[in-house]
Amino acid sequence: MEKEIHKNNKIPPNLKDYAETCKKFRWEDVKKELGLDTKGGVNIATNAIDAHADTWRRNKVALYWEGSGEERKKYTFGEMRQESNRVGNMLKSLGVNKGDRVFVFLPRIPELYISIIGIAKIGAVAGPMFSAFGPEAIRDRLKDSGAKVLITDASLRERVHQVWDELPELKTVVVTRLPETERLWKAEIHYEREIEKASYDLGVEQISLEDPLYMLYTSGTTGKPKGVVHVQNDMISHYITTKWALDLHEEDVYWCSADPGWVTGTVYGLWGPWLNGASQVVFEGRYDAERWYSVMEQYGVTVWYTAPTALRMLMKAGEEPVKRHDLSALRYICSVGEPLNPEVIRWGMDVYGLCIHDTWWQTETGSILITNYPSMPIRPGSMGKPFPGVEAAIIDAQGKELPPGSSGILAIRPGWPSMMRTLWKDEKRYKEYFQIPGWYTTGDTAHMDKDGYFWFIGRADDVIMTAGHRVGPFEVESALVEHKAVAEAGVIGKPDPERGQIIKAFLVLREGFSPSDELKDDIKEFIKHRLSAHAYPREIQFCESVPKTRSGKIMRRLLKARELGLPEGDLSTLEE
Ligand code: WTA
């Protein structure tokens, strides 16, 4: 093991003593701190926005927004309250009721954040989608969730038009930033014009802690992405994990580089920080070393939550761009999504003079469950220790807890507040997470050292993590076989120094098509546009056949072993 890193925190951490806190911790106390111990209803938007707008924080900046271009805006908590009230009223006028699904397909512009809050205010269920999604990804999500309203913008709406005919439950599409010269289509309406008509006053829907709040689709090994449903009760976890793991203080300026289409952006780029009354920065643009540092410098970012893939790219960009910017305000860095390489931590110590704190969690867990804390020494390469109140263990297939040092399934004792409540219309797949009695199984393998630090080993399934995105091989294979030249497809994740993994596809061509580089490019473009820009195979290999089991399942493990030159393992089920 590498040397432990002890830190000198610039300010006293919110969580002062990990071991002491774990001993005394009760979720009930957090609930009280949030004022949720009443018999009346609740609403996360009240706690995250309106309650602050009733205090001196009314004039505190909630959102500093930096557009991709020159545009900049800021909103105080008072303004966020008003703007989200108007969205709530607009949606009500469109017939949206409690429990209805409203999906949001927008770039990271203020309307994205304001809409999600407005949706919560009327008790509807928000479904954020990445702006990189193509028509197929959009169709699958809107269709499965039965979304009634979609909020999108002029640059993205055309992808919705392509699939609208297949979405009978989609009643209205609200379009923002539509130029005067462009016409509305079908049941589209103008965001700005409708908002103009909407009142600033809204009676926020008071609902139960178990009412749904948002849903996000995420990938597994089999089948289409599944709709993970989270409820209002999640706010208990959002609040306290942001406070202790991200260590947000009143005077912090916080930046989470994740998009709300990913759970990190919804939980820690929206609800968690605002539940803590923090000022957040949102940058609309894509990754760019120079621009990222300039955002941090301009706003004086103090706490930064990002992903290993971004950190690896920054590492590649080197020290020069860091030197060109004043990052002296920065005091705390966290990372999530993939293993955080010790090398990246060392580099961070060198160039930022700060330790990067790894955090582990999943779309399904709804909040950080294993993490590093400012007050606890870091063991580079480890994900840290379970959050107070969370019981994590390494178990075998029978549910037996394994001793320190043994590898096994990473499992969590159910009962933490932000655990997903169901998979949308798929209780069967939901139950699969709880097949081992007494445990929620994560799909990750890991081990724990004798001091209780957890170390990530890998995924127990075929799910691919590429540049921080979770991609199911099945969804890519399904999209690939829709290309006119592709008969069969097998998809794996292939290790890549920058992206963690890249997607590699093995393709069997249809009669009449022959392998060529042009065809590879055409297939890549096809997936980028149909499915998503995150999910296209960077590498394609044409082959005569794809190995399958006798029952017809693609043997991705074998494809992977062959690709990496590893032992092929048990081939007894391989089709002759
Ligand atoms: C992986 C992300 C190693 C893991 C919030 C998990 C990690 C999956 C880490 C969930 C980490 C997440 N170290 N691996 N710190 N954090 N993962 O749902 O395989 O997009 O199961 O949620 O990402 O991905 P998801």
Side-chain angles (χ1 to χ4, degrees):
M1 191 184 76
E2 304 219 356
K3 243 179 69 202
E4 237 180 41
I5 303 173
H6 292 257
K7 295 159 280 172
N8 290 319
N9 295 302
K10 287 187 187 167
I11 56 172
N14 288 329
L15 179 86
K16 300 203 171 46
D17 185 331
Y18 174 75
E20 261 314 294
T21 307
C22 286
K23 264 190 234 151
K24 295 199 207 109
F25 184 84
R26 291 174 354 140
W27 290 111
E28 274 308 308
D29 295 336
V30 183
K31 212 166 152 180
K32 275 203 195 113
E33 199 173 322
L34 281 168
L36 302 178
D37 50 349
T38 52
K39 285 275 178 298
V42 300
N43 197 305
I44 189 172
T46 305
N47 288 70
I49 304 293
D50 295 8
H52 304 305
D54 282 333
T55 68
W56 68 269
R57 289 202 190 107
R58 184 149 83 99
N59 297 318
K60 177 176 178 176
V61 174
L63 171 64
Y64 290 103
W65 179 74
E66 165 120 347
S68 308
E70 302 281 291
E71 229 186 325
R72 296 185 184 14
K73 283 182 183 168
K74 60 183 179 202
Y75 295 80
T76 61
F77 279 100
E79 288 164 337
M80 287 302 271
R81 167 164 65 183
Q82 290 198 315
E83 294 306 322
S84 55
N85 279 354
R86 296 222 281 187
V87 170
N89 281 320
M90 168 179 78
L91 292 172
K92 273 170 68 172
S93 76
L94 296 174
V96 176
N97 296 310
K98 182 185 157 193
D100 286 343
R101 276 77 60 214
V102 178
F103 272 54
V104 191
F105 182 42
L106 287 173
R108 284 185 298 279
I109 55 176
E111 288 76 5
L112 168 59
Y113 297 82
I114 292 164
S115 295
I116 294 176
I117 297 161
I119 294 165
K121 281 189 166 176
I122 61 167
V125 186
M129 295 194 290
F130 277 114
S131 55
F133 281 158
E136 261 167 50
I138 301 165
R139 182 202 56 205
D140 288 349
R141 286 158 178 79
L142 295 179
K143 196 168 178 177
D144 184 68
S145 65
K148 198 175 201 176
V149 173
L150 174 73
I151 304 177
T152 187
D153 85 341
S155 69
L156 300 171
R157 68 176 184 137
E158 203 271 326
R159 296 185 217 163
V160 184
H161 296 172
Q162 288 185 39
V163 293
W164 200 337
D165 281 348
E166 299 170 64
L167 303 168
E169 288 171 272
L170 183 62
K171 294 288 176 284
T172 314
V173 174
V174 187
V175 187
T176 177
R177 311 202 289 195
L178 193 68
E180 285 297 324
T181 48
E182 279 185 46
R183 294 233 171 135
L184 294 172
W185 200 69
K186 271 189 154 184
E188 283 180 340
I189 58 170
H190 282 280
Y191 182 99
E192 288 76 9
R193 284 187 204 164
E194 297 303 314
I195 283 290
E196 238 358 85
K197 292 187 235 158
S199 161
Y200 284 114
D201 295 317
L202 173 75
V204 174
E205 195 77 28
Q206 294 302 304
I207 55 183
S208 118
L209 282 167
E210 289 303 312
D211 278 324
L213 170 66
Y214 76 94
M215 57 191 291
L216 270 176
Y217 281 79
T218 196
S219 304
T221 315
T222 53
K224 296 267 189 191
K226 45 205 175 177
V228 172
V229 178
H230 282 283
V231 297
Q232 290 274 340
N233 196 62
D234 282 40
M235 77 173 109
I236 299 167
S237 296
H238 294 173
Y239 168 74
I240 198 68
T241 53
T242 305
K243 187 168 169 180
W244 289 350
L246 304 182
D247 195 43
L248 288 193
H249 289 61
E250 188 68 61
E251 56 286 357
D252 276 318
V253 177
Y254 165 77
W255 179 39
C256 169
S257 57
D259 189 285
W262 186 29
V263 73
T264 306
T266 289
V267 175
Y268 297 107
L270 202 162
W271 296 121
W274 283 333
L275 284 163
N276 282 272
S279 298
Q280 300 201 61
V281 174
V282 166
F283 171 49
E284 181 190 7
R286 294 161 61 106
Y287 165 81
D288 176 86
E290 200 59 45
R291 189 73 195 270
W292 273 31
Y293 290 136
S294 105
V295 166
M296 286 198 247
E297 175 172 8
Q298 237 183 99
Y299 297 95
V301 168
T302 58
V303 178
W304 177 33
Y305 196 16
T306 190
T309 183
L311 290 163
R312 287 191 296 261
M313 287 196 272
L314 289 169
M315 194 165 110
K316 198 168 150 206
E319 212 174 326
E320 282 311 308
V322 183
K323 286 191 187 145
R324 282 196 287 276
H325 298 275
D326 175 6
L327 304 182
S328 56
L330 196 59
R331 68 167 185 86
Y332 199 65
I333 311 175
C334 293
S335 161
V336 62
E338 299 161 75
L340 178 64
N341 328 64
E343 188 192 354
V344 177
I345 297 184
R346 280 195 301 272
W347 179 79
M349 299 284 289
D350 281 350
V351 298
Y352 305 131
L354 296 168
C355 194
I356 304 168
H357 297 74
D358 195 10
T359 70
W360 177 93
W361 59 297
Q362 307 179 297
T363 307
E364 295 89 335
T365 70
S367 68
I368 295 170
L369 294 192
I370 296 178
T371 189
N372 290 282
Y373 309 84
S375 51
M376 197 174 84
I378 282 193
R379 298 189 172 174
S382 157
M383 308 188 288
K385 293 190 185 184
F387 197 81
V390 171
E391 186 187 343
I394 305 297
I395 61 171
D396 67 11
Q398 282 70 48
K400 193 172 109 237
E401 285 189 52
L402 300 176
S406 341
S407 347
I409 303 164
L410 176 59
I412 313 288
R413 189 77 74 192
W416 72 98
S418 65
M419 188 176 88
M420 65 168 164
R421 292 304 196 265
T422 188
L423 291 180
W424 188 257
K425 290 200 215 139
D426 200 347
E427 197 61 17
K428 189 171 152 274
R429 276 217 281 171
Y430 176 70
K431 291 215 171 91
E432 288 172 8
Y433 287 90
F434 302 94
Q435 267 168 359
I436 299 180
W439 295 103
Y440 161 82
T441 48
T442 62
D444 286 354
T445 53
H447 66 85
M448 187 185 73
D449 67 23
K450 64 179 185 354
D451 304 309
Y453 280 82
F454 282 75
W455 301 74
F456 182 79
I457 298 174
R459 288 286 309 179
D461 56 23
D462 297 334
V463 167
I464 303 166
M465 301 294 302
T466 176
H469 295 286
R470 185 166 152 183
V471 178
F474 176 82
E475 47 189 310
V476 185
E477 287 159 3
S478 311
L480 280 165
V481 295
E482 283 180 37
H483 187 281
K484 59 181 186 309
V486 180
E488 277 190 290
V491 162
I492 60 163
K494 177 178 172 179
D496 178 79
E498 225 170 85
R499 295 169 193 277
Q501 291 185 313
I502 55 163
I503 299 172
K504 170 153 189 180
F506 296 84
L507 303 179
V508 179
L509 291 179
R510 282 179 192 278
E511 283 294 321
F513 290 90
S514 43
S516 71
D517 286 343
E518 291 71 45
L519 182 56
K520 282 186 185 172
D521 290 342
D522 188 64
I523 293 170
K524 288 179 189 175
E525 284 303 307
F526 178 81
I527 300 299
K528 249 191 227 175
H529 294 297
R530 293 287 287 264
L531 189 60
S532 167
H534 317 122
Y536 83 95
R538 283 176 186 265
E539 238 180 86
I540 289 178
Q541 183 175 326
F542 297 116
C543 43
E544 290 299 313
S545 67
V546 176
K548 282 195 274 315
T549 62
R550 287 170 212 275
S551 59
K553 286 201 181 81
I554 294 166
M555 288 181 83
R556 303 189 187 100
R557 242 172 272 277
L558 184 56
L559 282 173
K560 200 161 182 170
R562 287 179 182 165
E563 175 70 27
L564 304 178
L566 299 172
E568 295 192 348
D570 177 18
L571 297 181
S572 58
T573 60
L574 185 67
E575 191 186 43
E576 302 293 304

